[in-house]
Coordinates of all heavy atoms in Angstrom, one line a residue:
M1 N 1.9 15.8 -12.8 CA 1.2 14.6 -13.2 C 2.1 13.4 -13.4 O 1.8 12.3 -13.5 CB 0.4 14.8 -14.4 CG -1.0 15.5 -14.1 SD -2.0 14.5 -13.1 CE -2.2 15.5 -11.7
I2 N 3.4 13.7 -13.6 CA 4.4 12.7 -13.9 C 4.5 11.8 -12.6 O 4.6 10.6 -12.7 CB 5.8 13.3 -14.2 CG1 5.7 14.2 -15.5 CG2 6.8 12.2 -14.5 CD1 6.8 15.1 -15.7
A3 N 4.4 12.5 -11.4 CA 4.6 11.7 -10.2 C 3.5 10.7 -10.0 O 3.8 9.6 -9.6 CB 4.6 12.8 -9.0
K4 N 2.3 11.1 -10.4 CA 1.2 10.2 -10.2 C 1.4 8.9 -11.1 O 1.1 7.9 -10.7 CB -0.1 10.9 -10.6 CG -1.3 10.4 -9.9 CD -2.5 11.3 -10.0 CE -3.6 11.0 -9.0 NZ -4.7 11.9 -9.1
K5 N 1.9 9.2 -12.3 CA 2.1 8.1 -13.3 C 3.2 7.1 -12.7 O 3.1 5.9 -12.8 CB 2.6 8.6 -14.6 CG 1.5 8.8 -15.6 CD 2.0 9.1 -16.9 CE 1.0 9.6 -17.9 NZ 1.5 10.2 -19.1
R6 N 4.2 7.7 -12.1 CA 5.3 6.9 -11.5 C 4.8 6.1 -10.4 O 5.2 5.0 -10.3 CB 6.4 7.8 -11.1 CG 7.2 8.4 -12.3 CD 8.5 9.0 -11.8 NE 9.5 8.1 -11.2 CZ 10.5 8.5 -10.5 NH1 10.8 9.7 -10.3 NH2 11.3 7.5 -10.1
I7 N 4.0 6.7 -9.6 CA 3.4 6.0 -8.4 C 2.6 4.8 -8.9 O 2.8 3.6 -8.4 CB 2.5 6.9 -7.5 CG1 3.4 8.0 -6.9 CG2 1.8 6.1 -6.5 CD1 2.7 9.1 -6.2
K8 N 1.8 5.0 -9.9 CA 1.0 3.9 -10.4 C 1.9 2.8 -11.0 O 1.6 1.6 -10.8 CB 0.0 4.5 -11.5 CG -1.3 4.9 -10.9 CD -2.3 5.1 -12.0 CE -3.6 5.5 -11.4 NZ -4.5 6.0 -12.4
K9 N 2.9 3.2 -11.7 CA 3.8 2.3 -12.4 C 4.5 1.5 -11.3 O 4.6 0.2 -11.4 CB 4.8 3.0 -13.2 CG 5.7 2.2 -14.0 CD 5.2 2.0 -15.4 CE 5.9 0.8 -16.1 NZ 7.1 1.2 -16.7
L10 N 5.0 2.1 -10.3 CA 5.7 1.4 -9.2 C 4.8 0.4 -8.5 O 5.3 -0.7 -8.2 CB 6.3 2.4 -8.2 CG 7.6 3.2 -8.7 CD1 7.8 4.3 -7.8 CD2 8.8 2.3 -8.7
L11 N 3.6 0.9 -8.3 CA 2.7 -0.1 -7.6 C 2.3 -1.2 -8.4 O 2.1 -2.3 -7.9 CB 1.4 0.7 -7.1 CG 1.7 1.7 -6.0 CD1 0.5 2.6 -5.7 CD2 2.2 1.1 -4.7
S12 N 2.2 -1.0 -9.7 CA 1.8 -2.2 -10.6 C 3.0 -3.1 -10.7 O 2.9 -4.3 -10.8 CB 1.3 -1.7 -11.9 OG 2.3 -1.1 -12.7
L13 N 4.2 -2.5 -10.7 CA 5.4 -3.3 -10.7 C 5.6 -4.2 -9.4 O 6.0 -5.3 -9.5 CB 6.6 -2.5 -10.8 CG 7.1 -2.0 -12.2 CD1 8.2 -1.0 -12.1 CD2 7.5 -3.1 -13.1
A14 N 5.1 -3.6 -8.3 CA 5.3 -4.2 -7.0 C 4.4 -5.5 -6.9 O 4.6 -6.3 -6.0 CB 4.9 -3.3 -5.9
K15 N 3.4 -5.6 -7.7 CA 2.4 -6.7 -7.6 C 3.1 -8.1 -7.6 O 2.9 -8.9 -6.8 CB 1.4 -6.6 -8.8 CG 0.0 -6.4 -8.3 CD -0.9 -6.2 -9.4 CE -2.0 -5.1 -9.0 NZ -2.7 -4.7 -10.2
D16 N 3.9 -8.3 -8.6 CA 4.6 -9.7 -8.6 C 6.1 -9.5 -8.9 O 6.5 -9.7 -10.0 CB 4.0 -10.6 -9.6 CG 3.4 -9.9 -10.7 OD1 4.0 -9.0 -11.2 OD2 2.3 -10.3 -11.2
S17 N 6.7 -9.0 -7.8 CA 8.2 -8.8 -8.0 C 8.8 -9.1 -6.7 O 8.3 -8.8 -5.6 CB 8.5 -7.4 -8.5 OG 9.7 -7.0 -8.0
P18 N 10.1 -9.7 -6.7 CA 10.8 -9.8 -5.4 C 11.2 -8.5 -4.8 O 11.5 -8.5 -3.6 CB 12.0 -10.7 -5.8 CG 12.1 -10.5 -7.3 CD 10.8 -10.2 -7.9
Y19 N 11.1 -7.4 -5.6 CA 11.5 -6.1 -5.0 C 10.3 -5.3 -4.6 O 10.4 -4.1 -4.6 CB 12.3 -5.4 -6.0 CG 13.5 -6.1 -6.6 CD1 13.6 -6.5 -7.9 CD2 14.6 -6.5 -5.7 CE1 14.7 -7.3 -8.4 CE2 15.6 -7.2 -6.2 CZ 15.7 -7.7 -7.5 OH 16.7 -8.3 -8.0
S20 N 9.2 -6.0 -4.4 CA 8.0 -5.2 -4.2 C 8.1 -4.2 -3.0 O 7.6 -3.1 -3.1 CB 6.8 -6.1 -3.9 OG 6.9 -6.7 -2.6
K21 N 8.8 -4.6 -1.9 CA 9.0 -3.7 -0.8 C 9.6 -2.4 -1.2 O 9.3 -1.3 -0.8 CB 9.7 -4.3 0.3 CG 8.9 -4.9 1.3 CD 9.7 -5.3 2.5 CE 8.9 -6.3 3.4 NZ 9.6 -6.6 4.6
R22 N 10.7 -2.6 -2.1 CA 11.4 -1.4 -2.5 C 10.5 -0.5 -3.4 O 10.5 0.7 -3.3 CB 12.6 -1.9 -3.3 CG 13.4 -0.9 -4.0 CD 14.9 -1.1 -4.0 NE 15.6 0.0 -4.6 CZ 15.8 1.1 -4.0 NH1 15.5 1.3 -2.8 NH2 16.5 2.1 -4.6
Y23 N 9.8 -1.1 -4.3 CA 8.9 -0.4 -5.2 C 7.9 0.4 -4.4 O 7.6 1.6 -4.7 CB 8.2 -1.3 -6.2 CG 9.1 -1.9 -7.3 CD1 9.0 -3.2 -7.6 CD2 10.0 -1.1 -7.9 CE1 9.7 -3.7 -8.7 CE2 10.8 -1.6 -8.9 CZ 10.7 -2.9 -9.3 OH 11.5 -3.4 -10.3
V24 N 7.3 -0.3 -3.4 CA 6.3 0.4 -2.6 C 6.8 1.5 -1.8 O 6.2 2.6 -1.8 CB 5.5 -0.6 -1.7 CG1 4.6 0.1 -0.8 CG2 4.7 -1.6 -2.5
S25 N 8.0 1.3 -1.2 CA 8.6 2.4 -0.4 C 9.0 3.6 -1.3 O 8.8 4.8 -0.9 CB 9.7 1.9 0.5 OG 10.8 1.5 -0.4
L26 N 9.4 3.3 -2.5 CA 9.7 4.4 -3.5 C 8.4 5.1 -3.8 O 8.4 6.4 -3.8 CB 10.3 3.8 -4.8 CG 11.8 3.8 -4.9 CD1 12.2 3.0 -6.2 CD2 12.4 5.2 -5.0
A27 N 7.4 4.4 -4.1 CA 6.2 5.1 -4.5 C 5.6 5.9 -3.3 O 5.2 7.0 -3.6 CB 5.1 4.0 -4.8
R28 N 5.8 5.4 -2.1 CA 5.4 6.2 -1.0 C 6.2 7.5 -0.8 O 5.8 8.6 -0.4 CB 5.4 5.4 0.3 CG 4.4 4.3 0.3 CD 4.4 3.5 1.5 NE 3.9 4.3 2.7 CZ 4.2 4.0 3.9 NH1 4.8 2.9 4.2 NH2 3.8 4.8 4.9
K29 N 7.5 7.4 -1.1 CA 8.4 8.5 -1.0 C 8.0 9.6 -2.0 O 8.0 10.7 -1.7 CB 9.9 8.0 -1.3 CG 10.8 8.5 -0.3 CD 12.2 8.0 -0.7 CE 13.1 7.7 0.6 NZ 14.3 7.2 0.2
I30 N 7.8 9.1 -3.2 CA 7.3 10.1 -4.3 C 6.1 10.8 -3.8 O 5.9 11.9 -3.9 CB 7.2 9.4 -5.6 CG1 8.5 8.8 -6.1 CG2 6.6 10.3 -6.6 CD1 8.4 7.8 -7.2
S31 N 5.1 10.0 -3.3 CA 3.8 10.6 -2.9 C 4.0 11.6 -1.8 O 3.3 12.6 -1.8 CB 2.8 9.5 -2.6 OG 2.9 9.2 -1.3
T32 N 4.9 11.3 -0.9 CA 5.0 12.3 0.2 C 5.8 13.6 -0.3 O 5.5 14.7 0.1 CB 5.7 11.7 1.4 OG1 6.9 11.1 1.0 CG2 4.8 10.8 2.2
K33 N 6.7 13.3 -1.1 CA 7.6 14.4 -1.6 C 6.8 15.3 -2.5 O 6.9 16.6 -2.5 CB 8.8 13.9 -2.4 CG 10.1 14.1 -1.7 CD 11.2 13.7 -2.6 CE 12.5 13.6 -1.8 NZ 13.6 13.0 -2.6
T34 N 6.0 14.8 -3.4 CA 5.2 15.6 -4.4 C 3.8 15.9 -3.9 O 3.1 16.5 -4.6 CB 5.3 14.9 -5.7 OG1 4.5 13.6 -5.5 CG2 6.6 14.6 -6.2
R35 N 3.5 15.4 -2.8 CA 2.1 15.5 -2.2 C 1.1 15.0 -3.1 O 0.0 15.5 -3.2 CB 1.8 17.0 -1.9 CG 2.7 17.5 -0.7 CD 2.1 18.7 -0.1 NE 3.2 19.6 0.3 CZ 3.1 20.9 0.3 NH1 2.1 21.5 -0.2 NH2 4.1 21.6 0.9
Q36 N 1.4 13.9 -3.9 CA 0.4 13.2 -4.7 C -0.1 12.1 -3.8 O 0.6 11.3 -3.2 CB 1.1 12.7 -5.9 CG 1.3 13.6 -7.0 CD 0.0 14.1 -7.7 OE1 -1.0 13.4 -7.6 NE2 0.1 15.3 -8.3
R37 N -1.4 12.0 -3.8 CA -2.0 10.9 -3.0 C -1.9 9.6 -3.7 O -2.1 9.5 -4.9 CB -3.4 11.2 -2.6 CG -3.4 12.2 -1.6 CD -4.8 12.5 -1.0 NE -4.7 13.6 -0.1 CZ -5.6 13.9 0.8 NH1 -6.7 13.1 0.8 NH2 -5.5 14.9 1.6
I38 N -1.7 8.5 -2.9 CA -1.8 7.2 -3.5 C -3.3 6.9 -3.6 O -4.1 7.1 -2.7 CB -1.1 6.2 -2.5 CG1 0.4 6.4 -2.6 CG2 -1.4 4.7 -3.0 CD1 1.2 5.7 -1.6
P39 N -3.7 6.3 -4.8 CA -5.1 6.0 -5.0 C -5.7 5.2 -3.8 O -5.0 4.3 -3.3 CB -5.1 5.2 -6.3 CG -3.8 5.5 -7.0 CD -2.9 6.0 -5.9
K40 N -6.9 5.4 -3.5 CA -7.5 4.8 -2.3 C -7.5 3.3 -2.4 O -7.2 2.7 -1.4 CB -9.0 5.3 -2.2 CG -9.2 6.0 -0.9 CD -10.7 6.4 -0.7 CE -10.9 7.2 0.5 NZ -12.2 7.8 0.6
D41 N -7.8 2.8 -3.5 CA -7.9 1.3 -3.6 C -6.5 0.7 -3.4 O -6.4 -0.4 -3.0 CB -8.6 0.8 -4.9 CG -7.9 1.5 -6.1 OD1 -7.5 2.7 -6.0 OD2 -7.8 0.8 -7.1
E42 N -5.5 1.4 -3.8 CA -4.1 0.9 -3.6 C -3.6 1.1 -2.2 O -2.9 0.3 -1.6 CB -3.1 1.7 -4.5 CG -3.3 1.5 -6.0 CD -2.8 0.1 -6.4 OE1 -2.3 -0.6 -5.6 OE2 -2.9 -0.2 -7.6
K43 N -4.1 2.2 -1.6 CA -3.7 2.5 -0.2 C -4.1 1.4 0.8 O -3.3 1.1 1.7 CB -4.4 3.8 0.2 CG -3.6 4.7 1.0 CD -4.3 6.0 1.3 CE -3.7 6.7 2.5 NZ -4.5 7.9 2.8
F44 N -5.2 0.7 0.6 CA -5.6 -0.3 1.5 C -4.7 -1.6 1.2 O -4.8 -2.5 2.1 CB -7.0 -0.7 1.2 CG -8.0 0.4 1.7 CD1 -9.0 0.9 0.9 CD2 -7.8 1.0 2.9 CE1 -9.9 1.9 1.3 CE2 -8.6 2.0 3.4 CZ -9.7 2.4 2.6
R45 N -4.0 -1.7 0.2 CA -3.3 -2.9 -0.1 C -1.8 -2.7 0.2 O -0.9 -3.4 -0.3 CB -3.4 -3.3 -1.6 CG -4.8 -3.7 -1.9 CD -5.0 -4.3 -3.3 NE -6.4 -4.1 -3.7 CZ -6.8 -3.5 -4.8 NH1 -5.9 -3.0 -5.6 NH2 -8.0 -3.5 -5.1
I46 N -1.5 -1.6 0.9 CA -0.1 -1.4 1.3 C 0.0 -1.4 2.8 O -0.8 -0.7 3.5 CB 0.4 0.0 0.7 CG1 0.5 -0.1 -0.8 CG2 1.7 0.3 1.3 CD1 0.7 1.2 -1.4
C47 N 0.9 -2.0 3.3 CA 1.1 -2.0 4.8 C 1.9 -0.7 5.1 O 3.0 -0.4 4.6 CB 2.0 -3.2 5.3 SG 2.4 -3.1 7.0
K48 N 1.2 0.0 6.1 CA 1.8 1.3 6.4 C 3.1 1.2 7.2 O 3.9 2.1 7.2 CB 0.7 2.0 7.3 CG 0.7 3.5 7.3 CD -0.6 4.0 7.9 CE -0.4 4.4 9.4 NZ -1.6 4.9 10.0
F49 N 3.3 0.1 7.8 CA 4.5 -0.1 8.7 C 5.7 -0.7 8.0 O 6.8 -0.3 8.4 CB 4.0 -0.9 9.9 CG 2.9 -0.4 10.6 CD1 1.6 -0.8 10.4 CD2 3.1 0.6 11.6 CE1 0.5 -0.3 11.0 CE2 1.9 1.2 12.3 CZ 0.7 0.7 12.0
C50 N 5.5 -1.6 7.1 CA 6.7 -2.2 6.5 C 6.7 -2.1 5.0 O 7.5 -2.8 4.3 CB 6.8 -3.6 6.9 SG 5.5 -4.7 6.4
S51 N 5.7 -1.3 4.4 CA 5.7 -1.1 3.0 C 5.5 -2.4 2.1 O 6.0 -2.5 1.0 CB 6.9 -0.3 2.5 OG 6.9 0.9 3.1
T52 N 4.8 -3.3 2.6 CA 4.6 -4.6 1.9 C 3.3 -4.4 1.1 O 2.3 -3.8 1.6 CB 4.5 -5.8 2.8 OG1 5.6 -5.9 3.6 CG2 4.2 -7.1 2.1
K53 N 3.3 -4.9 -0.1 CA 2.1 -5.0 -0.9 C 1.3 -6.1 -0.4 O 1.7 -7.3 -0.5 CB 2.5 -5.2 -2.4 CG 1.4 -5.1 -3.3 CD 1.2 -3.8 -4.0 CE 0.0 -3.9 -5.0 NZ -0.2 -2.6 -5.5
L54 N 0.2 -5.8 0.2 CA -0.7 -6.8 0.7 C -1.5 -7.6 -0.3 O -2.1 -7.0 -1.1 CB -1.6 -6.2 1.8 CG -0.9 -5.5 3.0 CD1 -2.0 -4.8 3.8 CD2 -0.2 -6.5 3.8
T55 N -1.3 -8.9 -0.3 CA -2.1 -9.8 -1.1 C -2.9 -10.8 -0.3 O -2.8 -10.7 0.9 CB -1.1 -10.5 -2.1 OG1 -0.2 -11.3 -1.2 CG2 -0.3 -9.6 -3.0
V56 N -3.6 -11.7 -1.0 CA -4.4 -12.7 -0.3 C -3.4 -13.5 0.6 O -3.8 -14.0 1.7 CB -5.1 -13.5 -1.2 CG1 -6.2 -14.4 -0.5 CG2 -5.9 -12.6 -2.3
N57 N -2.3 -13.8 0.1 CA -1.3 -14.6 0.8 C -0.7 -14.1 2.1 O -0.4 -14.8 3.0 CB -0.2 -15.1 -0.1 CG -0.7 -15.8 -1.4 OD1 -1.6 -16.7 -1.2 ND2 -0.2 -15.6 -2.5
N58 N -0.4 -12.8 2.1 CA 0.3 -12.2 3.2 C -0.5 -11.3 4.1 O 0.0 -10.5 4.8 CB 1.6 -11.6 2.8 CG 1.4 -10.4 1.9 OD1 0.3 -9.9 1.7 ND2 2.5 -9.9 1.4
S59 N -1.8 -11.3 4.0 CA -2.6 -10.5 4.8 C -3.9 -11.2 5.2 O -4.3 -12.1 4.5 CB -2.9 -9.2 4.1 OG -3.8 -9.4 3.0
S60 N -4.6 -10.8 6.3 CA -5.9 -11.3 6.6 C -6.8 -10.2 6.9 O -6.4 -9.2 7.5 CB -5.8 -12.3 7.7 OG -5.4 -11.7 8.9
V61 N -8.0 -10.3 6.4 CA -9.0 -9.3 6.6 C -10.1 -9.7 7.5 O -10.6 -10.8 7.3 CB -9.6 -8.8 5.2 CG1 -10.6 -7.7 5.4 CG2 -8.5 -8.3 4.3
R62 N -10.4 -8.9 8.5 CA -11.5 -9.3 9.4 C -12.5 -8.2 9.5 O -12.1 -7.0 9.5 CB -11.0 -9.6 10.8 CG -11.3 -11.0 11.2 CD -10.8 -11.3 12.6 NE -11.2 -10.3 13.6 CZ -10.6 -10.1 14.7 NH1 -9.5 -10.8 15.0 NH2 -11.0 -9.2 15.5
I63 N -13.8 -8.5 9.5 CA -14.8 -7.4 9.6 C -15.6 -7.6 10.8 O -16.3 -8.6 10.9 CB -15.6 -7.4 8.3 CG1 -14.8 -7.1 7.1 CG2 -16.7 -6.3 8.4 CD1 -15.4 -7.3 5.8
D64 N -15.5 -6.7 11.8 CA -16.4 -6.7 12.9 C -16.7 -5.3 13.4 O -15.9 -4.8 14.2 CB -15.9 -7.6 14.1 CG -14.5 -7.3 14.4 OD1 -13.8 -6.5 13.7 OD2 -14.0 -7.8 15.4
G65 N -17.6 -4.6 12.7 CA -17.8 -3.2 13.0 C -16.8 -2.3 12.3 O -17.1 -1.2 11.9
Q66 N -15.6 -2.8 12.0 CA -14.6 -2.1 11.2 C -13.8 -3.1 10.5 O -13.8 -4.3 10.8 CB -13.8 -1.3 12.1 CG -12.9 -2.1 13.1 CD -12.3 -1.3 14.2 OE1 -12.3 -0.1 14.1 NE2 -11.6 -1.9 15.1
I67 N -13.1 -2.7 9.5 CA -12.3 -3.6 8.6 C -10.9 -3.6 9.3 O -10.3 -2.6 9.4 CB -12.2 -3.1 7.2 CG1 -13.7 -2.9 6.6 CG2 -11.5 -4.1 6.4 CD1 -13.7 -2.2 5.3
S68 N -10.4 -4.8 9.7 CA -9.1 -4.9 10.2 C -8.3 -5.7 9.2 O -8.6 -6.9 8.8 CB -9.1 -5.7 11.5 OG -10.0 -5.1 12.4
I69 N -7.3 -5.1 8.7 CA -6.4 -5.7 7.8 C -5.0 -6.0 8.4 O -4.4 -5.1 8.9 CB -6.1 -4.8 6.5 CG1 -7.5 -4.4 5.9 CG2 -5.3 -5.5 5.4 CD1 -7.4 -3.2 4.9
K70 N -4.7 -7.2 8.6 CA -3.5 -7.6 9.3 C -2.4 -8.0 8.3 O -2.7 -8.8 7.4 CB -3.8 -8.8 10.2 CG -2.6 -9.0 11.1 CD -2.8 -10.1 12.2 CE -1.6 -10.3 13.0 NZ -1.7 -11.4 13.9
C71 N -1.3 -7.4 8.5 CA -0.1 -7.7 7.6 C 0.6 -8.9 8.3 O 1.0 -8.8 9.5 CB 0.8 -6.5 7.5 SG 2.4 -6.9 6.8
K72 N 0.8 -10.0 7.5 CA 1.5 -11.1 8.1 C 3.0 -11.0 8.1 O 3.7 -11.7 8.7 CB 1.1 -12.4 7.4 CG -0.3 -12.9 7.7 CD -0.7 -14.1 7.0 CE -2.2 -14.4 7.3 NZ -2.7 -15.4 6.3
E73 N 3.5 -10.0 7.4 CA 4.9 -9.7 7.4 C 5.4 -9.1 8.7 O 6.4 -9.6 9.3 CB 5.3 -8.7 6.3 CG 5.1 -9.3 4.9 CD 6.4 -10.1 4.4 OE1 7.5 -9.6 4.7 OE2 6.2 -11.1 3.7
C74 N 4.7 -8.1 9.2 CA 5.2 -7.4 10.4 C 4.2 -7.6 11.6 O 4.5 -7.2 12.7 CB 5.5 -6.0 10.1 SG 4.1 -5.0 9.7
G75 N 3.0 -8.1 11.3 CA 2.1 -8.4 12.4 C 1.2 -7.2 12.8 O 0.4 -7.3 13.7
N76 N 1.4 -6.1 12.1 CA 0.6 -4.9 12.4 C -0.8 -4.9 11.8 O -1.0 -5.5 10.7 CB 1.3 -3.7 11.9 CG 2.3 -3.1 13.0 OD1 1.9 -2.8 14.2 ND2 3.6 -3.0 12.7
T77 N -1.7 -4.4 12.5 CA -3.1 -4.3 12.0 C -3.5 -2.9 11.7 O -3.2 -2.0 12.4 CB -4.0 -4.9 13.0 OG1 -3.6 -6.1 13.5 CG2 -5.5 -5.1 12.4
R78 N -4.1 -2.7 10.5 CA -4.6 -1.5 10.1 C -6.1 -1.5 10.2 O -6.8 -2.5 9.7 CB -4.2 -1.2 8.7 CG -4.6 0.2 8.2 CD -4.5 0.2 6.7 NE -5.0 1.5 6.3 CZ -4.3 2.4 5.7 NH1 -3.1 2.2 5.3 NH2 -4.8 3.5 5.4
K79 N -6.7 -0.5 10.9 CA -8.2 -0.5 11.0 C -8.8 0.5 10.3 O -8.3 1.7 10.2 CB -8.5 -0.4 12.5 CG -8.2 -1.7 13.3 CD -8.4 -1.4 14.7 CE -7.9 -2.7 15.5 NZ -7.5 -2.5 16.9
V80 N -9.8 0.1 9.5 CA -10.5 1.1 8.6 C -12.0 1.1 9.1 O -12.6 0.0 9.1 CB -10.4 0.7 7.2 CG1 -11.1 1.8 6.3 CG2 -9.0 0.5 6.8
P81 N -12.5 2.2 9.5 CA -13.9 2.3 9.9 C -14.9 2.1 8.7 O -14.5 2.6 7.6 CB -14.1 3.6 10.6 CG -13.0 4.4 10.0 CD -11.9 3.5 9.7
I82 N -16.0 1.4 8.9 CA -17.0 1.3 7.8 C -17.9 2.5 7.9 O -18.5 2.7 9.0 CB -17.7 0.0 7.9 CG1 -16.7 -1.2 7.9 CG2 -18.7 -0.2 6.8 CD1 -17.3 -2.5 8.2
K83 N -18.1 3.1 6.8 CA -19.0 4.3 6.8 C -20.5 3.8 6.6 O -20.7 3.0 5.8 CB -18.6 5.3 5.8 CG -17.4 6.1 6.2 CD -16.8 6.8 5.1 CE -15.3 6.9 5.2 NZ -14.6 7.0 4.0
Ligands
ZN1 ZN1 3.6 -4.9 7.5

């Protein structure tokens, strides 16, 4: 359970910090190592490709049959199907 707490702490630290990429990649490392899942609502706010914490300023969301979240840092789009 310590791992889960650390992940949450790191992600909350990443919110407004110049080191957010580092915090997020650390959190992802912990989650893969300890097999703790990143909470669902946080998962959507992390870029899978460059570990950026996605905010209103660096991402754009489009909905057309599915949710497309585009990261403006690396230009990759993550698609989430709507159930
Ligand atoms: Zn990205």
Side-chain angles (χ1 to χ4, degrees):
M1 277 299 115
I2 301 162
K4 210 168 197 176
K5 264 188 193 166
R6 284 192 68 194
I7 291 167
K8 269 194 179 169
K9 184 93 197 277
L10 282 166
L11 289 175
S12 70
L13 278 170
K15 242 174 219 168
D16 32 38
S17 152
Y19 307 114
S20 75
K21 262 190 196 185
R22 174 145 181 78
Y23 287 140
V24 172
S25 64
L26 262 173
R28 291 182 68 200
K29 229 183 213 174
I30 294 166
S31 89
T32 49
K33 250 188 192 170
T34 61
R35 290 197 213 147
Q36 281 290 339
R37 286 188 183 197
I38 291 172
K40 239 186 189 171
D41 53 324
E42 294 284 359
K43 219 173 158 186
F44 291 133
R45 291 186 206 127
I46 292 169
C47 175
K48 208 163 101 181
F49 304 95
C50 64
S51 297
T52 300
K53 183 101 178 171
L54 298 174
T55 58
V56 189
N57 298 318
N58 65 7
S59 69
S60 65
V61 179
R62 240 182 49 203
I63 299 167
D64 49 354
Q66 61 190 357
I67 306 166
S68 305
I69 306 162
K70 187 175 182 187
C71 168
K72 284 180 186 167
E73 290 276 322
C74 64
N76 272 303
T77 310
R78 182 197 175 118
K79 285 170 186 158
V80 184
I82 302 169
K83 284 163 215 159

